[in-house]
């Protein structure tokens, strides 16, 4: 069974631009979560989607948004990029949403975003 | 606050020795804990998990211990190999008034295997 895939793997953008990242979960998984990883802050939860609905969101500004499609694929968008948005963005999928008891999350390789 | 922490940022062990990586958590409501391994340039890889109704779980060469009394989690790796070199994260299910909030991760321990 194929793992979680993320595209693109690397991105370079400039301040003020916007970016869209894509995530395809493991086949059959319906929950997708996004995380930001930086050397200073570590791994931080962005948001989780299940059945095309955002279930919860971490402590990030409104410039960070996402969505999920009917096939469970998910995208996240960051608008008006800032230098501090440079990070590894990780997507994780699970069968069911967090807290459900069958919520082991499996991660993709991440998208490395560099903002210049 | 609700956080998951690790005691040591770096742990160096000899190849073939056993490794123990520790983690402390502060949220007594946490009921699910996971250990992940992250190699350079890759996403976190699931190693083993444990639910709060257990105090020990074993996998292949790995054992996770959970002590709810002192809110402590540990990962034991038997007979460490060069391929075990990576950063290890513990994570817990976070909860707020609105329900589960995703995983909260510790800062990570970099395990270095000396030949």
């Amino acid at each position: 069974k194929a793992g979680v895939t993320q595209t693109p793997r690397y991105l370079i953008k400039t301040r003020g631009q916007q970016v869209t990242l894509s995530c395809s979960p493991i086949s059959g998984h319906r929950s997708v979560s996004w995380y930001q990883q930086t050397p200073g802050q570590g791994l931080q939860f962005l948001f989780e989607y299940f059945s095309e609905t955002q279930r919860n969101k971490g402590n990030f500004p409104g410039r960070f948004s996402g969505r999920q499609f009917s096939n469970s694929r998910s995208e996240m968008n960051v608008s008006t990029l800032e230098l501090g948005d440079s990070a590894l963005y990780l997507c994780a999928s699970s069968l069911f949403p967090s807290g459900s008891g069958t919520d082991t999350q499996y991660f993709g390789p991440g998208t490395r975003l560099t903002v210049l | 606050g609700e956080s998951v922490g690790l005691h040591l940022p770096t742990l160096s062990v000899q190849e073939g020795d056993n490794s123990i990586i520790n983690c402390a958590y502060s949220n007594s409501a946490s009921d699910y804990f996971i250990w992940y391994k992250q190699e350079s340039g890759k996403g976190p890889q699931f190693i083993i998990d444990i639910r709060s109704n257990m105090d020990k779980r074993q996998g292949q060469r790995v054992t996770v211990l959970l002590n709810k009394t002192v809110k402590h989690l540990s990962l034991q790796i038997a007979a460490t190999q060069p391929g075990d070199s990576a950063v290890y994260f513990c994570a817990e299910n976070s909860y707020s008034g609105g329900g589960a909030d995703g995983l909260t991760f510790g800062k990570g321990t970099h395990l270095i295997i000396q030949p």
Side-chain angles (χ1 to χ4, degrees):
Chain A
K1 187 184 278 191
V4 177
T5 58
Q6 293 187 245
T7 56
R9 292 294 311 280
Y10 303 91
L11 264 180
I12 299 176
K13 293 285 187 179
T14 56
R15 280 181 298 174
Q17 287 187 309
Q18 76 164 15
V19 66
T20 299
L21 312 180
S22 181
C23 171
S24 292
I26 292 171
S27 178
H29 284 195
R30 296 170 59 195
S31 178
V32 173
S33 298
W34 289 89
Y35 295 82
Q36 181 196 65
Q37 186 175 27
T38 59
Q41 299 299 316
L43 275 150
Q44 293 185 291
F45 171 72
L46 278 159
F47 28 66
E48 179 183 18
Y49 285 87
F50 178 76
S51 293
E52 303 177 63
T53 301
Q54 185 180 93
R55 294 188 73 250
N56 40 48
K57 185 172 181 178
N59 190 24
F60 280 83
R63 299 185 297 105
F64 291 81
S65 63
R67 59 177 177 169
Q68 186 181 32
F69 302 94
S70 58
N71 61 358
S72 295
R73 190 178 69 85
S74 176
E75 289 181 346
M76 69 162 281
N77 183 77
V78 188
S79 62
T80 320
L81 284 166
E82 300 177 0
L83 295 178
D85 296 333
S86 293
L88 181 67
Y89 290 89
L90 291 158
C91 167
S93 77
S94 58
L95 275 170
F96 294 107
S98 56
S100 65
T102 51
D103 48 1
T104 303
Q105 295 187 19
Y106 298 91
F107 284 81
T111 294
R112 172 73 63 185
L113 172 64
T114 302
V115 182
L116 302 175
Chain B
E2 298 179 7
S3 64
V4 179
L6 289 171
H7 297 298
L8 288 174
T10 302
L11 176 64
S12 183
V13 299
Q14 292 291 124
E15 183 179 348
D17 286 352
N18 297 334
S19 303
I20 299 176
I21 301 172
N22 295 302
C23 179
Y25 65 95
S26 59
N27 187 355
S28 56
S30 296
D31 62 358
Y32 180 55
F33 304 87
I34 315 106
W35 281 100
Y36 287 95
K37 170 187 179 183
Q38 187 173 27
E39 297 173 284
S40 181
K42 298 182 179 180
Q45 176 188 353
F46 172 84
I47 301 174
I48 192 167
D49 59 0
I50 189 168
R51 302 209 178 265
S52 58
N53 61 351
M54 303 173 70
D55 52 23
K56 180 180 179 178
R57 191 162 187 226
Q58 289 183 289
Q60 186 176 13
R61 284 201 306 119
V62 294
T63 300
V64 55
L65 299 177
L66 175 63
N67 186 329
K68 295 180 287 294
T69 302
V70 294
K71 295 180 194 162
H72 184 267
L73 190 69
S74 69
L75 176 69
Q76 300 176 1
I77 305 174
T80 50
Q81 304 168 357
D84 294 331
S85 291
V87 178
Y88 290 80
F89 295 94
C90 62
E92 64 175 322
N93 246 1
S94 312
Y95 292 92
S96 67
D101 286 338
L103 296 175
T104 297
F105 282 82
K107 292 294 186 184
T109 291
H110 186 191
L111 180 64
I112 299 170
I113 310 301
Q114 303 282 3

